[in-house]
């Protein structure tokens, strides 16, 4: 699978990219929301792992931009956050097209399980 990881914490993007690559996936990385959005708009990814809390252009900004331009329906987005999302916030994100909202720190195996759901969905369709 082709995975995009968007997180302002370079240690997280390096670790997740290395882990996903070892598991046989191709990874691209963006360390800010605006670059991540540009990659999503220019390329096709099987899954996007998106940090919600980033400075200047947040994960929420990425979601809003994709929702506004109609490109979110083609994305499999998993939100990662260290902060607590309210039920309403999570519900709004899912209504806009986010697949899952997961809490940091996350076990990479658990994240991989979520990502692999997209792979199975792709082979069924």
């Amino acid at each position: 699978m082709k995975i995009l990881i968007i997180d302002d914490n370079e240690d997280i993007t390096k670790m997740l990219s290395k882990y996903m690559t070892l598991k046989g996936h191709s990874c691209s990385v963006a360390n800010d929301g605006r670059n991540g959005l540009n990659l999503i708009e220019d390329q096709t990814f099987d899954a996007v792992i998106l940090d919600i809390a980033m400075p200047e252009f947040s994960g929420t900004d990425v979601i809003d931009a994709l929702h506004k331009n109609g490109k979110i329906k083609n994305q499999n987005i998993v939100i990662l956050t260290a902060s607590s999302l309210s039920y309403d916030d999570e519900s709004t994100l899912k209504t806009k097209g986010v697949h899952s909202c997961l809490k940091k720190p996350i076990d990479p195996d658990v994240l991989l399980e979520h990502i692999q759901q997209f792979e199975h969905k792709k082979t069924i369709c």
Side-chain angles (χ1 to χ4, degrees):
M1 290 179 66
K2 188 174 175 186
I3 301 170
L4 173 61
I5 304 165
I6 307 170
D7 196 308
D8 60 312
N9 184 323
E10 291 183 23
D11 291 336
I12 290 174
T13 56
K14 284 178 188 173
M15 183 272 301
L16 287 177
S17 178
K18 186 174 184 175
Y19 176 82
M20 294 297 174
T21 300
L22 287 171
K23 294 297 183 177
H25 302 289
S26 168
C27 290
S28 296
V29 169
N31 289 111
D32 67 74
R34 198 166 307 280
N35 286 339
L37 178 61
N38 290 337
L39 287 170
I40 292 169
E41 290 176 336
D42 292 342
Q43 299 178 44
T44 302
F45 295 95
D46 298 308
V48 177
I49 300 168
L50 176 63
D51 181 21
I52 203 77
M54 293 182 284
E56 296 179 34
F57 199 81
S58 70
T60 304
D61 294 327
V62 172
I63 297 299
D64 290 343
L66 291 170
H67 186 258
K68 186 176 179 178
N69 69 20
K71 292 189 176 188
I72 198 162
K73 64 180 179 263
N74 302 326
Q75 306 302 320
N76 293 312
I77 298 175
V78 175
I79 294 288
L80 288 182
T81 182
S83 15
S84 294
L85 285 178
S86 71
Y87 175 79
D88 289 340
D89 290 341
E90 187 171 335
S91 183
T92 299
L93 289 167
K94 287 185 176 182
T95 299
K96 288 183 177 179
V98 170
H99 180 271
S100 307
C101 297
L102 304 174
K103 188 93 167 125
K104 288 180 188 176
I106 187 162
D107 180 330
D109 291 329
V110 172
L111 180 59
L112 183 60
E113 286 176 21
H114 282 273
I115 299 299
Q116 287 174 329
Q117 292 174 19
F118 306 133
E119 187 173 39
H120 296 303
K121 184 172 91 173
K122 189 170 76 172
T123 58
I124 291 171
C125 295

